[in-house]
Amino acid sequence: MRKSFKIVLISSIFVILSGCTTQATLPQKPPIEEKPIQEKTIIKIVKVPVEVPKEKDAKIIIGEAEYVYIPSSKIKLKARIDTGATTTSIHALDIKEFERDGQKWVKFKLIDKNKQEIQRALPIQRVTTIKRHAAKSLKRYVVQLRLNLGESSQLVDVTLANRSDFTYPLLIGRNFLNGIFVVDVSKKYIIKTKEI
């Protein structure tokens, strides 16, 4: 019994000692070092479409004379293009002022290419006075007419005048041309006008 006790005791001591030496001799893991987080800068090139401002539409080139259509009268007339004239002027006959509903109107006749008379009556926009050298001043009525030249259709002030002595029954002035047309004086009738 003593022998077995001794064996148990010796075994226990051996186990205890061997455990201590095992722990003492085992290689210890180095402590885990916390590595600083490295920040990465990523540069990404993105092509963004830039909206380039559009250029203004190019001006329409017209000749020194063109056909102009008057939709309200359904007539096409030869017109002299005059950048020196402030206001557009049309050949009219039998020009007479009258009153309608308390407003001043003017009645007149336009002449088409077949010499047919077209009676018109429109409200008077204003009256202008034309001063002439060594002659009596003229009073001219201004009305509004829609004129078509090329693709352009504009309601503009038009002076009524007897243009019997002129080659062209219609004179297109700057109030119609401004900002839209450029005149090439070396050409005539180069643009097609819509008849609507």
Side-chain angles (χ1 to χ4, degrees):
M1 198 167 187
R2 268 187 182 179
K3 225 179 199 179
S4 64
F5 179 75
K6 278 184 182 178
I7 292 171
V8 170
L9 184 65
I10 291 171
S11 299
S12 298
I13 292 171
F14 179 76
V15 169
I16 291 170
L17 288 177
S18 67
C20 290
T21 53
T22 306
Q23 283 181 356
T25 57
L26 280 178
Q28 291 188 356
K29 291 182 181 176
I32 298 172
E33 292 180 25
E34 288 187 24
K35 292 182 182 177
I37 298 171
Q38 292 181 353
E39 294 181 6
K40 290 184 180 179
T41 305
I42 300 171
I43 299 172
K44 188 174 182 181
I45 298 170
V46 179
K47 290 184 180 180
V48 178
V50 177
E51 204 170 301
V52 179
K54 292 180 182 177
E55 289 183 25
K56 288 183 179 178
D57 293 335
K59 291 183 174 66
I60 302 162
I61 298 171
I62 56 175
E64 67 169 354
E66 294 290 350
Y67 284 104
V68 173
Y69 184 71
I70 304 169
S72 59
S73 302
K74 294 184 172 56
I75 58 171
K76 187 193 274 188
L77 299 174
K78 285 183 180 180
R80 169 87 166 90
I81 310 301
D82 188 353
T83 58
T86 305
T87 310
T88 299
S89 181
I90 193 166
H91 175 56
L93 298 174
D94 299 333
I95 303 165
K96 290 175 186 162
E97 184 181 327
F98 69 100
E99 194 171 304
R100 179 183 287 175
D101 300 327
Q103 188 179 2
K104 290 184 178 180
W105 283 55
V106 63
K107 60 182 176 181
F108 56 95
K109 291 176 184 174
L110 297 178
I111 313 297
D112 69 9
K113 63 181 179 180
N114 300 318
K115 307 295 182 194
Q116 297 294 314
E117 294 180 352
I118 299 161
Q119 185 74 45
R120 294 295 312 272
L122 290 169
I124 297 170
Q125 299 300 311
R126 67 181 189 276
V127 179
T128 61
T129 303
I130 310 296
K131 292 180 181 177
R132 301 186 297 167
H133 296 291
K136 191 179 175 182
S137 296
L138 293 174
K139 184 171 76 169
R140 288 196 180 155
Y141 297 102
V142 178
V143 297
Q144 284 199 326
L145 276 177
R146 180 164 296 281
L147 305 176
N148 293 357
L149 175 55
E151 291 296 312
S152 176
S153 180
Q154 299 179 58
L155 185 65
V156 292
D157 284 353
V158 178
T159 304
L160 302 177
N162 187 332
R163 294 180 55 84
S164 301
D165 296 334
F166 295 93
T167 306
Y168 300 94
L170 183 59
L171 179 127
I172 298 293
R174 289 195 306 271
N175 68 325
F176 188 90
L177 302 170
N178 198 18
I180 301 172
F181 298 98
V182 173
V183 183
D184 183 343
V185 295
S186 67
K187 295 176 181 171
K188 285 184 179 182
Y189 310 116
I190 60 172
I191 194 163
K192 186 177 179 182
T193 295
K194 61 180 180 181
E195 296 183 25
I196 297 171

